[in-house]
């Protein structure tokens, strides 16, 4: 496989609404991001994935776009965005834009036109269907609860929305829609961005009349066309969000010979703590052995014909230490999670606040919740007779606001995020967990992330080495990485209990990183401490 810059970097995701507010209106903005670029440079990242900053009525916090070529008023101006691209580049950081083209906002002018009548030229930009027996055309459901079909009184037809009613789905079967998207992408490419993160891209091949949403028959044809007409040959980072991807499917997207995308986010590990066949809210505890098997499967299967994205967190997921680490052993378990992820093969992503070990927050009433997915689910389950306490517990565990509380910069008012009133309450733990405190403590999680990024820059084995899983106790995730003569052993005790490690005779040459103070000199017959994690060079 040809080497690309996007395989060698670590990407940092910014959720702009919650990152840094520069003007005191309680909402994060572009000038706020610019003011924190030095911090990101210090961390060592090579790219920022910026969640949507386009004009939007914010029904789904910017994932409902009303103008793809204008900046959301609350976030700043196009001049600010140009400055962000330039200032980031000065620090060796590429800007990856979020591309949300499965749907638009219902306030996008295409949809406003489309609603005007069945003969409007924009009508076929969206997906319309006649009622069947006076009801919805079929049983397709929205990810945000309820039917995926909304009735339009004026024309007597339904339109499709796989997310909220205010996010009508675009009709990718229509070549005019595809061309509009490609033109828009080229507008952004010409600005000098580093690539795109493609929102729910596996849905664009949908055939709603057949109730096919993910992985439709023309999906890959559309992506190959997109590649040719936009970023092909420009060596940009393109990463698709693909919830239903198996390794076979992931290879279709990311095998370089197929000329589609650089890589995809696959979510197989993310589903391991939900009851199979149910929804993310329906919880079962994680089995570490299953996590290990899923990681090993993806490492092995995407060997040479594809590329993995590595992530624990994003703006849709709960905080990983609260989820699978241990809040009571926050720094140590956080370091294990970091070492494990960053020593796998693929491109690692850090979500804002992960590098300082931010945690979930707890709500006691639905009025404290901002996320549309959680709110809709709450009302749906309440109507089904499920107890309020039970639903709130599910929201506290998995709700998207967990990731969206403001970034904790310091121990001052509102965690230093804003001088005004934050749009979403700051997590109460900010006096203890914040960037300033992390930077002042040489043993903080921040410096583990910084070191892991540095190791990646200095040791090709981290990027290019092969992966080989070692048979161990169920809660121990251990593997070798190897490149030429060089061999690293990675050991993670993914547990709050002691676990044995038995390896064949191994000579330890050097400790690369360890989340305890001691150096590792011998790995034979170790009893691993809770959350112990290390990398050693071996012979
Ligand atoms: C993706 C985004 C999520 C958004 C949805 C609809 O899953 O990550 O935040 O709500 O798509 O755009
Ligand atoms: Ca602001």
């Amino acid at each position: 496989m040809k080497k690309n810059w996007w395989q060698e970097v670590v990407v940092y995701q910014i959720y702009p609404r919650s990152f840094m507010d520069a003007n005191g209106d309680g909402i994060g903005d572009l000038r706020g991001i610019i003011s924190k670029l030095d911090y990101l440079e210090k961390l060592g990242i090579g790219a920022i994935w910026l969640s949507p900053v386009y004009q939007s009525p914010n029904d789904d916090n910017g994932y409902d776009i009303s103008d793809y070529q204008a900046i959301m008023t609350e976030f700043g101006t196009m001049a600010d965005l140009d400055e962000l691209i330039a200032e980031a580049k000065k620090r060796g950081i590429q800007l990856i834009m979020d591309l949300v083209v499965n749907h638009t906002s219902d306030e996008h002018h295409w949809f406003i036109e489309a609603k005007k009548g069945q003969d409007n030229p924009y009508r076929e930009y969206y997906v319309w269907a006649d009622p069947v027996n006076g009801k919805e055309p079929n049983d397709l459901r929205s990810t945000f609860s309820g039917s995926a079909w909304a009735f339009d009184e004026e024309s007597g037809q339904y339109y499709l929305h796989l997310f909220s009613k205010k996010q009508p789905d675009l009709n990718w079967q229509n070549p005019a829609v595809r061309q509009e998207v490609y033109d828009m992408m080229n507008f952004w490419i010409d600005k000098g961005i580093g690539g795109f993160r493609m929102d729910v891209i596996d849905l664009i091949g949908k055939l709603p009349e057949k109730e096919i949403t993910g992985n439709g028959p023309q999906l890959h044809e559309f992506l190959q066309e997109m590649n040719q007409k936009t970023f092909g040959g420009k060596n940009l980072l393109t990463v698709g969000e693909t919830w239903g991807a198996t390794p076979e499917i992931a290879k279709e997207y990311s095998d370089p010979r197929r000329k589609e995308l650089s890589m995809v986010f696959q979510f197989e590990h993310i589903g391991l703590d939900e009851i199979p066949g149910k929804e993310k809210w329906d919880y079962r505890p994680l089995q570490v052995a299953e996590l290990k098997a899923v990681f090993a499967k993806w490492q092995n299967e995407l060997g040479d014909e594809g590329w993995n994205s590595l992530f624990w967190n994003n703006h849709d997921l709960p905080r990983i230490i609260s989820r699978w680490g241990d809040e009571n052993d926050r720094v140590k378990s956080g370091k294990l999670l970091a070492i494990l992820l960053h020593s796998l093969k693929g491109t690692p992503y850090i979500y804002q606040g992960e590098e300082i070990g931010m945690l979930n927050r707890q709500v006691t009433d639905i009025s404290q919740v901002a996320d549309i997915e959680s709110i809709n689910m709450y009302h749906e389950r309440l109507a089904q007779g499920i107890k309020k306490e039970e639903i709130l517990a599910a929201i506290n565990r998995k709700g998207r606001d967990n990731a969206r509380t403001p970034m904790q910069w310091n121990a001052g008012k509102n965690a230093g995020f804003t001088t005004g009133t934050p749009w979403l309450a700051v997590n109460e733990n900010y006096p203890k967990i914040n960037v300033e405190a992390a930077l002042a403590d040489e043993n903080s999680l921040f410096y583990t992330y910084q070191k892991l990024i540095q190791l990646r820059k200095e040791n090709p084995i981290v990027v290019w080495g092969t992966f080989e899983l070692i048979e161990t106790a169920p809660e121990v995730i251990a593997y070798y990485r190897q490149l030429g003569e060089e061999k690293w052993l990675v050991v993670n005790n993914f547990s709050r209990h002691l676990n044995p490690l038995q390896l064949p005779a191994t000579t330890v040459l050097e400790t690369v990183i360890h989340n305890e103070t001691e150096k590792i000199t011998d790995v034979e017959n170790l009893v691993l401490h809770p959350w112990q994690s290390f990398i050693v060079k071996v012979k």
Side-chain angles (χ1 to χ4, degrees):
M1 192 166 174
K2 175 174 160 275
K3 296 183 176 177
N4 299 288
W5 68 270
W6 43 260
Q7 293 167 297
E8 293 173 347
V9 296
V10 171
V11 184
Y12 187 93
Q13 184 190 351
I14 291 181
Y15 194 68
R17 201 170 193 79
S18 304
F19 191 63
M20 180 65 202
D21 173 23
N23 67 351
D25 66 355
I27 296 171
D29 44 47
L30 295 174
R31 301 228 64 87
I33 300 173
I34 294 170
S35 75
K36 295 298 183 185
L37 286 172
D38 288 341
Y39 167 72
L40 297 177
E41 184 181 21
K42 184 179 170 87
L43 181 57
I45 54 133
I48 293 169
W49 151 24
L50 186 60
S51 275
V53 292
Y54 316 98
Q55 199 59 259
S56 162
N58 284 308
D59 190 50
D60 187 19
N61 284 356
Y63 283 89
D64 49 318
I65 296 169
S66 54
D67 186 343
Y68 290 103
Q69 284 167 233
I71 300 296
M72 193 190 300
T73 319
E74 292 163 325
F75 287 173
T77 63
M78 194 60 89
D80 295 330
L81 199 277
D82 290 334
E83 191 176 323
L84 174 58
I85 296 173
E87 286 298 318
K89 262 196 200 149
K90 278 189 204 159
R91 294 165 176 84
I93 299 172
Q94 295 288 334
L95 195 70
I96 310 300
M97 298 295 280
D98 214 312
L99 183 77
V100 188
V101 290
N102 173 66
H103 44 266
T104 67
S105 163
D106 65 342
E107 298 181 32
H108 194 290
H109 84 91
W110 299 338
F111 193 71
I112 294 172
E113 286 298 315
K115 271 182 62 146
K116 288 185 179 163
Q118 300 202 23
D119 49 10
N120 187 284
Y122 288 95
R123 186 76 175 181
E124 297 305 316
Y125 273 42
Y126 295 88
V127 182
W128 300 90
D130 290 324
V132 172
N133 302 324
K135 289 215 203 90
E136 286 81 9
N138 60 35
D139 293 335
L140 278 181
R141 280 181 50 87
S142 154
T143 304
F144 295 162
S145 301
S147 171
W149 296 101
F151 192 58
D152 172 46
E153 295 281 345
E154 257 162 79
S155 64
Q157 283 193 310
Y158 285 88
Y159 66 86
L160 180 75
H161 61 92
L162 292 175
F163 295 90
S164 100
K165 277 195 179 58
K166 286 183 67 62
Q167 292 167 299
D169 275 61
L170 283 167
N171 172 17
W172 273 73
Q173 309 290 324
N174 180 348
V177 166
R178 304 205 296 275
Q179 193 56 50
E180 296 260 21
V181 170
Y182 305 151
D183 291 346
M184 175 272 281
M185 289 172 74
N186 286 325
F187 165 87
W188 288 102
I189 292 172
D190 290 344
K191 282 192 173 288
I193 63 166
F196 295 104
R197 174 267 184 184
M198 302 185 180
D199 192 65
V200 290
I201 202 68
D202 56 345
L203 301 180
I204 62 172
K206 67 187 107 54
L207 291 179
E209 63 283 8
K210 296 195 176 146
E211 302 200 19
I212 295 174
T213 52
N215 300 311
Q218 284 180 284
L219 170 62
H220 294 281
E221 185 185 319
F222 293 159
L223 287 174
Q224 284 167 8
E225 181 185 78
M226 176 194 280
N227 177 308
Q228 261 173 39
K229 298 214 167 179
T230 63
F231 53 81
K234 299 200 166 78
N235 201 14
L236 300 189
L237 185 167
T238 50
V239 52
E241 184 199 23
T242 60
W243 279 85
T246 59
E248 290 65 40
I249 295 175
K251 278 187 257 187
E252 292 190 39
Y253 291 103
S254 65
D255 182 340
R257 289 168 301 194
R258 293 175 49 90
K259 294 194 175 13
E260 295 186 19
L261 307 179
S262 313
M263 56 186 131
V264 293
F265 292 123
Q266 58 83 14
F267 291 83
E268 194 172 347
H269 60 304
I270 292 303
L272 291 176
D273 61 359
E274 64 197 53
I275 299 173
K278 294 237 185 153
E279 297 184 325
K280 74 176 193 184
W281 311 108
D282 303 301
Y283 173 74
R284 64 161 182 161
L286 173 74
Q287 302 290 322
V288 177
E290 288 185 4
L291 180 68
K292 173 160 62 175
V294 167
F295 275 154
K297 171 167 112 183
W298 282 86
Q299 289 289 299
N300 291 329
E301 299 214 20
L302 260 56
D304 300 319
E305 312 153 68
W307 190 252
N308 274 298
S309 311
L310 308 167
F311 68 99
W312 292 122
N313 276 114
N314 66 33
H315 64 293
D316 296 328
L317 302 175
R319 293 283 177 181
I320 194 61
I321 294 175
S322 303
R323 186 180 198 177
W324 291 344
D326 186 347
E327 290 193 355
N328 297 317
D329 208 349
R330 185 180 67 91
V331 173
K332 192 163 184 201
S333 66
K335 287 180 180 177
L336 174 139
L337 291 160
I339 294 170
L340 168 54
L341 199 79
H342 287 247
S343 62
L344 292 169
K345 189 172 183 179
T347 298
Y349 290 73
I350 300 172
Y351 177 70
Q352 66 184 43
E354 179 182 338
E355 77 280 15
I356 56 164
M358 281 177 61
L359 303 176
N360 281 355
R361 61 102 186 235
Q362 301 296 310
V363 298
T364 50
D365 192 82
I366 194 67
S367 63
Q368 296 160 288
V369 177
D371 166 35
I372 183 170
E373 182 188 42
S374 301
I375 294 172
N376 288 0
M377 181 280 287
Y378 177 88
H379 293 299
E380 185 176 68
R381 292 200 171 189
L382 212 55
Q384 290 163 3
I386 300 174
K387 283 213 199 69
K388 177 183 150 183
E389 291 68 30
E390 199 179 311
I391 309 175
L392 288 175
I395 291 174
N396 284 336
R397 197 189 284 284
K398 292 276 185 76
R400 304 196 297 179
D401 283 350
N402 283 311
R404 300 175 181 187
T405 59
M407 180 74 179
Q408 294 161 211
W409 293 104
N410 58 43
K413 191 181 163 220
N414 299 319
F417 163 71
T418 181
T419 55
T421 307
W423 72 275
L424 183 67
V426 174
N427 193 314
E428 283 166 16
N429 62 25
Y430 75 87
K432 191 172 154 227
I433 304 174
N434 62 67
V435 169
E436 205 173 281
L439 292 177
D441 172 6
E442 60 177 1
N443 293 316
S444 73
L445 197 50
F446 176 89
Y447 291 110
T448 294
Y449 275 93
Q450 187 190 51
K451 178 159 185 187
L452 288 164
I453 297 173
Q454 198 58 32
L455 285 173
R456 186 177 182 85
K457 289 179 180 164
E458 291 166 357
N459 300 276
I461 188 173
V462 179
V463 183
W464 306 111
T466 55
F467 168 93
E468 185 194 337
L469 187 73
I470 303 169
E471 187 103 22
T472 52
E475 292 180 327
V476 175
I477 305 184
Y479 41 91
Y480 295 115
R481 299 290 308 276
Q482 189 160 3
L483 188 68
E485 293 295 290
E486 195 169 352
K487 192 169 184 183
W488 287 17
L489 165 68
V490 184
V491 173
N492 298 287
N493 181 20
F494 204 117
S495 167
R496 56 177 63 114
H497 307 290
L498 299 174
N499 269 301
L501 177 71
Q502 267 129 16
L503 292 174
T506 311
T507 311
V508 174
L509 300 174
E510 186 187 327
T511 305
V512 177
I513 193 168
H514 186 195
N515 66 355
E516 296 180 7
T517 45
E518 243 93 296
K519 292 233 181 316
I520 308 276
T521 49
D522 182 3
V523 288
E524 280 157 58
N525 302 320
L526 279 186
V527 176
L528 297 169
H529 305 147
W531 302 110
Q532 189 174 2
S533 171
F534 59 79
I535 305 176
V536 285
K537 285 187 194 172
V538 295
K539 223 176 32 200

